[in-house]
Amino acid sequence: MSAPKPIVHVADSDAALASTVYDYVVERSAKAVKEHGFFSICLSGGSVAKLVGDGLWKKKNVDWPAWRVFFCDERHVNLDSEDSNYNALQDTFFAKVPIKPEHVYTINPKLTVEGAADDYTAKIRIVYPGSDIPKFDLMLLGMGPDGHTCSLFPGHPLLQEKTKIVASLSDSPKPPPARITLTLPVVNNAHCVMFIVMGSSKTGPAAKALDLNKSVDDDDMPPAGKVRLYHGELHWWMNQAAAAEYQVQQAKK
């Protein structure tokens, strides 16, 4: 069985990209709440956190109390650290919407990084009990200039992780080195994944990740390209700068 093709959206401006993403997140939220009474979303840091904080909180008619918020990855730092993905969203998003604090699932930085990963697995099991791979309603993923997503980096052994749903690493090539991350089996099991990719530094990795002629096991396939959902929707939202090389590829077909 082959994975469905990613749905690629190229926005004319960053503002148009943000508006479209906000609308789609609200649509997915309403769908999930109608189907099973809550909406599970996994957020990323960096440019994704900035986009969320810039305006998602302004959306109307959102059942915020039904949200269950997790993080695609997190740095093993205190929650008030400038490096914390949670902290990047605390004032810009969480403080502005009525999501219950107990429904925002953060790491416990007092534990070892390995312990924090195990503890985060237990927190996911609050919403998704049992031993099955959780099926999150939506993941908002970013991508680095090296093609990494979550804290899954090119050539790293965690790309081969098959059993854990949350893994730890202490050797991240991007500081800080100690982190926890959702694993590829979890990402690929989501109902919907949305990549949000902006900037010219991302254009080469984006084109490689979206090259469906390549196998996910190819040596030069970036981690973002290993996200191939079999039972969900995979979207890529890009601005013109990030999509430039991909558009050249498409024009040649």
Side-chain angles (χ1 to χ4, degrees), residues 29-46:
S29 171
K31 181 176 186 292
V33 172
K34 182 178 180 180
E35 289 179 351
H36 48 253
F38 66 92
F39 174 57
S40 60
I41 182 169
C42 300
L43 300 176
S44 300

Side-chain angles (χ1 to χ4, degrees), residues 59-128:
K59 299 300 293 184
K60 306 296 184 183
N61 301 316
V62 179
D63 188 357
W64 298 112
W67 280 40
R68 306 292 185 269
V69 182
F70 294 87
F71 292 88
C72 299
D73 67 327
E74 183 58 282
R75 290 81 178 268
H76 189 243
V77 294
N78 290 330
L79 297 181
D80 60 356
S81 167
E82 291 184 358
D83 288 324
S84 166
N85 288 339
Y86 164 78
N87 190 44
L89 286 157
Q90 170 53 30
D91 291 336
T92 61
F93 182 60
F94 296 127
K96 297 179 178 181
V97 294
I99 299 173
K100 295 179 180 179
E102 61 267 30
H103 291 164
V104 178
Y105 296 92
T106 59
I107 68 163
N108 183 349
K110 295 180 180 179
L111 302 174
T112 65
V113 67
E114 296 85 359
D118 292 341
D119 179 69
Y120 210 69
T121 299
K123 288 175 177 175
I124 291 174
R125 293 302 183 200
I126 295 172
V127 178
Y128 292 99

Side-chain angles (χ1 to χ4, degrees), residues 155-168:
H156 197 279
L158 284 185
L159 292 172
Q160 308 305 320
E161 178 60 54
K162 304 297 184 186
T163 57
K164 293 180 180 179
I165 62 174
V166 182
S168 65

